[in-house]
Amino acid sequence: MRVKVSDAYMRHALDHLPEGAVEPSPILKVVLPDDREILYKEIGEVDPSNQNKYSPMAGLLHKYNMLLAMTSINCSSHCRYCYRSDLFNGSSGKEKADIVNVARYAKAYNRHIQEAIDEGEWSSETGTHITETGEPLLPLKEILLSGGDVMTLPNSTVARYLVLMAEAGMKTVRFGSKELAFNPSRFDDSFFSTMDLFHQNYPDVRIELVGHYVHPYELVQPKIDAKGKYLYDCNIEYTVHPEVEAALSRINARRSWFGHHNQFPVIAGVNDQPDIMRLILHLTNKLGMTMHNVYACREVIGNPHFRGDLTIDRQYDLLEAAKIGLSGLENHARLIMSTEQGKMDVLGHKGGKIYLRLNRFVHGRKPENTMVIVDS
């Protein structure tokens, strides 16, 4: 991954650094290279969770009962822990999606499912029609436009993609993006005019912005204690970066159809402290976002130092400690492991065993037993 840092992110890291801080801004660790990347250049997963197994065409993943399209091979900054670095460097053979072909795939899949639904039976237990063998028939209704970052594309392209997906039957379109932190000026008059026009024409389609804010200082200006150490205290007031606040107010004004979420991985040396994670969970709710998942750090090739000694049980304990003192509206984030078999909830650990539950099933097909117990 070549080094790339946006002007806005550098302003967040440098311009509002409190006088007397004894260390550089911690968010610099997200974007500045480390010589361990060279040390670990051949260690780790090349294709995380064997995603290519679930790729019916270039740039498209169909693992759950939703689609993921890699719409861009560009970001305004490069996170050094990036879990899609294989898309950027070509190591796993992934490519940018042809969105027209993605729309055709979605239509064809749903047409096939509808034919099966017409012959199936309604199940009150699953809330779906089922086949004679008991398999639920789940049409595609949701797509994640990711990459890279879909928000680095021009408004005209984003609008075209939205219309194609709406016409293909999608009822929810997610934008996987970190532009609020990397390039908040992206959320300008032109962008919101484009979104408003789309909503006027497709009022039954929700847009969900899924951000990846891994540290509170990506959103708010840092504070320090008397010794110059950074403070992560939910009981004091932080100032939101002005350009971030301007974008947030316009997003929140549209929240009935334009949702905003946060999800982040546990990253060694960046957010692997309970107070840092607690402040992220607190701010997420306060700033109008819905907290989605906290992800167990993955050892992508070249990046094992971001996992460090953070075993799954340690990551679980960190998140549980972070929830102390938070309200029920703030503390519902789950620790999730992304695996080839699906997304796993980490439920806890005891006696050298880790207890997991499969909570997102491949193509929506729920196995008979969703509990998994592994050695820690």
Side-chain angles (χ1 to χ4, degrees):
M1 290 282 285
R2 68 185 179 92
V3 179
K4 184 179 183 182
V5 189
S6 67
D7 290 342
Y9 202 77
M10 290 304 289
R11 286 197 298 274
H12 294 172
L14 301 178
D15 286 3
H16 303 288
L17 202 65
E19 184 177 352
V22 296
E23 294 180 344
S25 172
I27 67 173
L28 288 173
K29 297 176 183 177
V30 174
V31 292
L32 294 187
D34 187 301
D35 57 8
R36 288 175 291 182
E37 294 179 27
I38 304 299
L39 178 65
Y40 297 130
K41 66 181 180 179
E42 297 181 357
I43 300 175
E45 295 179 276
V46 175
D47 177 23
S49 301
N50 196 13
Q51 290 181 330
N52 279 332
K53 176 180 178 180
Y54 301 101
S55 180
M57 64 177 65
L60 179 66
L61 298 180
H62 183 186
K63 185 172 183 178
Y64 308 111
N65 62 313
M66 64 173 286
L67 299 176
L68 186 159
M70 297 175 187
T71 57
S72 172
I73 309 180
N74 187 36
C75 290
S76 292
S77 298
H78 287 166
C79 300
R80 307 316 301 174
Y81 62 85
C82 180
Y83 299 152
R84 294 272 172 78
S85 57
D86 60 310
L87 175 65
F88 285 86
N89 61 34
S91 60
S92 64
K94 293 190 179 80
E95 301 176 22
K96 180 181 173 181
D98 182 325
I99 202 70
V100 173
N101 286 336
V102 170
R104 288 172 179 161
Y105 176 88
K107 287 181 178 179
Y109 185 90
N110 279 349
R111 185 164 54 247
H112 172 74
I113 290 293
Q114 187 58 52
E115 291 171 355
I117 286 175
D118 293 341
E119 299 177 0
E121 295 185 2
W122 173 259
S123 166
S124 60
E125 181 178 344
T126 65
T128 66
H129 286 77
I130 58 173
T131 64
E132 292 181 355
T133 61
E135 180 180 341
L137 298 166
L138 299 167
L140 290 167
K141 296 186 291 185
E142 183 174 6
I143 187 168
L144 168 59
L145 303 182
S146 187
D149 193 321
V150 65
M151 288 287 289
T152 61
L153 299 172
N155 289 330
S156 58
T157 302
V158 174
R160 175 171 169 262
Y161 288 9
L162 282 170
V163 170
L164 280 167
M165 292 304 101
E167 291 293 331
M170 300 299 104
K171 297 302 182 184
T172 300
V173 180
R174 296 191 202 179
F175 293 164
S177 179
K178 194 166 177 171
E179 283 291 86
L180 184 69
F182 285 160
N183 183 26
S185 62
R186 173 68 179 86
F187 297 88
D188 58 10
D189 291 344
S190 178
F191 171 74
F192 285 110
S193 294
T194 302
M195 297 301 101
D196 290 343
L197 183 60
F198 172 78
H199 176 61
Q200 291 171 21
N201 286 277
Y202 298 94
D204 61 336
V205 178
R206 281 193 62 84
I207 299 170
E208 304 285 2
L209 177 66
V210 183
H212 304 270
Y213 318 122
V214 303
H215 193 281
Y217 294 168
E218 292 183 327
L219 301 170
V220 300
Q221 296 174 8
K223 290 194 173 186
I224 57 173
D225 62 17
K227 297 180 179 179
K229 294 185 177 296
Y230 292 111
L231 269 175
Y232 306 101
D233 186 348
C234 297
N235 299 308
I236 62 177
E237 291 296 320
Y238 289 83
T239 301
V240 181
H241 294 303
E243 50 201 339
V244 171
E245 186 174 32
L248 279 173
S249 65
R250 303 184 74 174
I251 294 170
N252 290 337
R254 294 163 171 82
R255 64 190 309 166
S256 64
W257 56 271
F258 193 117
H260 192 189
H261 308 258
N262 186 29
Q263 61 183 23
F264 64 89
V266 183
I267 311 171
V270 174
N271 60 18
D272 57 334
Q273 296 177 203
D275 56 347
I276 296 178
M277 295 175 68
R278 184 179 301 116
L279 187 56
I280 298 175
L281 300 179
H282 171 72
L283 288 174
T284 294
N285 182 70
K286 182 177 181 179
L287 298 179
M289 307 172 207
T290 301
M291 189 63 218
H292 188 32
N293 294 324
V294 176
Y295 285 95
C297 186
R298 302 161 75 175
E299 292 185 359
V300 179
I301 194 164
N303 296 351
H305 54 291
F306 284 119
R307 174 69 174 265
D309 60 356
L310 292 172
T311 55
I312 296 300
D313 51 347
R314 284 200 61 205
Q315 293 181 68
Y316 175 83
D317 290 342
L318 280 171
L319 179 57
E320 291 305 298
K323 294 178 181 180
I324 296 172
L326 296 180
S327 76
L329 297 174
E330 299 171 321
N331 73 0
H332 58 264
R334 306 167 297 180
L335 182 64
I336 295 289
M337 290 176 60
S338 292
T339 74
E340 182 176 339
Q341 292 73 33
K343 293 192 185 299
M344 299 271 193
D345 271 345
V346 182
L347 301 178
H349 63 91
K350 185 177 181 180
K353 302 290 184 181
I354 297 175
Y355 295 82
L356 309 168
R357 180 181 67 88
L358 189 62
N359 86 336
R360 198 78 194 274
F361 319 116
V362 174
H363 291 188
R365 297 167 183 162
K366 184 177 180 180
E368 291 184 4
N369 182 13
T370 61
M371 286 292 296
V372 180
I373 303 174
V374 299
D375 293 331
S376 61

